[in-house]
Amino acid sequence: MCKILILEGERSVLSLTSTAKLHNDVEMPRLGLGVYKMEDGKEVVEAVKSAIELGYRHIDTASFYGNEEGVGKAIKESDIPREDLFITTKVWNDEQGYENTLEAFDRSLNKLGLDYIDLYLIHWPVPGKFTDTWKALEKLYKDGKVKAIGVSNFLPHHLEELMKDAEITPMVNQIELHPELHQQQTREFCAANGIQVEAWSPLAKGKYFDAPVLKELAEKYEKTPAQIILRWDFQNDIVAIPKSTNKDRQQQNADIFDFELTEEEIKRIDELNLDEKGRTGPHPDEFDY
Ligand code: A2P
C-alpha cells in the first residue's frame, strides 16, 4: 500500500515536470500555473507556494499583472533550486520599443528578485512597435539574461512581419486557446516554424464545463471537465497554464497524466470549436493599444 502511494507520488511529480523542447533546446514544462488577476501579496504568494509544493515548476506572470513581487517572494521562500523552475514574464504594451523594453526587463527582473528569466514574451503585438521590441528581446537573449524569447497574442501576419526582420525566430507564441477557440491557422503557422504554442485561459474560466461531451468523458475517466480540457491540450502538444488560487483545484489541474483520450474523443471535443465566436478576450487586431 505504502509502496503504491510512493510510486504514485513520484509519477505525478515526474509528469508535472514533463517538458516541451523549444527550438533552442530549452525544456519548458508543459503545464504551468497562470497568475493573471491574482493580487500581489498574500494571494499570489500563497498560490505560487502551494503550486510549487504540489510539484508545479512553471509559473507564468507579466508586468501587467502587477504581481511579479509576490511571485518572486514565493520563489524565494520555496526551497526549489532556481534552475528547476521555469519563470515567464512579459513586456506590457506601454513598455514597448527598444530602449523601453530593456528598461522594462530590468524592472521585472528586480521585482521578481531573479538574475535571469526563463521565457520573456511580448505581451501583445503593438502596431509599429513590436519589431523594435523584438530586437530588445534578441539582445537580452544574446546577453544571457533570458533563456528563451517569444510572443503572445500574435496572429500569423504579426509573426510574418516580425520574422522578416528578426535574427531569432520566437520560441513560443502564447495565445488564447481552448476547445471553443482552436486558432487553427496560428497553430499551423507555429508548427511550420518550430514555434511552441502555449494556451492562456485554457479553461476559458469554466464557461462551458457543462458541455455534454466534456461531462460524458469526465464521467468515463472519473475526471472533471477541467481535466478533460487540459488533457486535450496535452495530447495536442499545447503547453497550458491554468490559473487557480485554490490548492485542490491546482492539484486537480495537475492530475491529468494517468489517462488518455482516444483520437475519436479528441475529435468530439474538437467539435466544440466556435472559432472567433469562442474568444473570451480581445482580438489581437482589435485591441485598444
Ligand atoms: P480558482 O482560482 O478559484 O480556482 P483560466 O486559467 O482558463 O482563465 O481559468 C481560471 C479560472 O477557472 C479561475 O477563475 C479559477 O478559479 C477557475 N478554475 C481553475 N481550475 C479549475 C478547476 N479545475 N475547476 C473549476 N474551476 C477552475
Side-chain angles (χ1 to χ4, degrees):
M1 181 69 173
C2 228
K3 195 159 181 210
I4 290 168
L5 283 176
I6 290 164
L7 285 174
E8 283 187 351
E10 281 173 357
R11 188 174 59 192
S12 78
V13 169
L14 281 174
S15 304
L16 249 181
T17 55
S18 77
T19 55
K21 200 188 267 254
L22 305 182
H23 74 62
N24 64 340
D25 289 342
V26 162
E27 305 272 355
M28 175 180 196
R30 294 176 62 176
L31 194 80
L33 179 76
V35 301
Y36 182 39
K37 292 199 170 153
M38 288 190 199
E39 264 178 50
D40 203 19
K42 196 165 180 279
E43 184 175 64
V44 76
V45 173
E46 285 185 1
V48 172
K49 277 166 94 170
S50 82
I52 290 175
E53 270 164 31
L54 287 167
Y56 284 74
R57 295 293 176 263
H58 170 182
I59 311 292
D60 180 280
T61 184
S63 85
F64 178 68
Y65 302 169
N67 57 19
E68 288 169 310
E69 283 178 30
V71 170
K73 187 170 190 292
I75 292 169
K76 203 163 291 150
E77 288 175 8
S78 74
D79 283 335
I80 305 298
R82 170 68 185 95
E83 63 274 18
D84 291 351
L85 294 170
F86 187 98
I87 309 299
T88 300
T89 193
K90 316 181 189 83
V91 54
W92 184 240
N93 302 341
D94 64 7
E95 297 174 319
Q96 291 200 33
Y98 186 80
E99 293 297 337
N100 284 350
T101 298
L102 296 178
E103 286 168 21
F105 179 81
D106 284 341
R107 276 196 300 277
S108 285
L109 206 58
N110 281 337
K111 284 186 181 163
L112 284 159
L114 299 176
D115 53 14
Y116 70 89
I117 301 289
D118 293 277
L119 176 64
Y120 197 44
L121 302 178
I122 302 182
H123 209 143
W124 288 88
V126 179
K129 289 255 175 92
F130 67 75
T131 48
D132 283 345
T133 305
W134 187 249
K135 292 204 184 313
L137 265 61
E138 289 180 330
K139 174 168 171 51
L140 293 166
Y141 179 69
K142 286 187 210 154
D143 288 351
K145 292 183 175 172
V146 46
K147 305 278 182 209
I149 51 178
V151 295
S152 182
N153 300 303
F154 274 49
L155 298 170
H157 77 88
H158 300 118
L159 286 164
E160 272 165 1
E161 189 180 334
L162 182 142
M163 285 161 64
K164 242 192 291 173
D165 218 17
E167 283 178 58
I168 301 168
T169 299
M171 285 122 203
V172 172
N173 186 14
Q174 184 187 112
I175 51 179
E176 182 185 347
L177 174 55
H178 43 79
E180 285 195 346
L181 178 67
H182 278 203
Q183 302 259 31
Q184 204 52 42
Q185 284 174 334
T186 303
R187 278 160 68 188
E188 280 166 18
F189 185 96
C190 288
N193 288 280
I195 302 170
Q196 175 65 48
V197 171
E198 179 178 15
W200 63 255
S201 214
L203 302 175
K205 297 178 184 63
K207 190 163 76 87
Y208 50 92
F209 279 173
D210 57 355
V213 62
L214 297 179
K215 280 166 73 176
E216 179 197 316
L217 294 173
E219 203 164 307
K220 171 175 173 188
Y221 290 107
E222 297 183 9
K223 295 285 172 186
T224 64
Q227 290 169 312
I228 300 295
I229 293 173
L230 294 170
R231 184 71 205 186
W232 175 89
D233 283 310
F234 192 71
Q235 289 184 225
N236 276 302
D237 294 326
I238 298 162
V239 171
I241 45 165
K243 174 231 160 190
S244 182
T245 48
N246 174 284
K247 190 164 189 172
D248 290 341
R249 287 192 284 279
Q250 289 179 348
Q251 181 156 36
Q252 192 193 112
N253 294 343
D255 184 17
I256 57 161
F257 300 103
D258 59 353
F259 74 107
E260 188 159 358
L261 298 166
T262 65
E263 269 182 44
E264 161 77 23
E265 288 164 347
I266 288 178
K267 282 196 192 122
R268 288 184 58 212
I269 298 171
D270 285 345
E271 284 167 15
L272 293 173
N273 186 26
L274 299 174
D275 286 323
E276 283 308 313
K277 287 200 189 103
R279 234 180 238 287
T280 65
H283 187 287
D285 282 331
E286 290 156 17
F287 196 98
D288 184 15
Y289 288 109

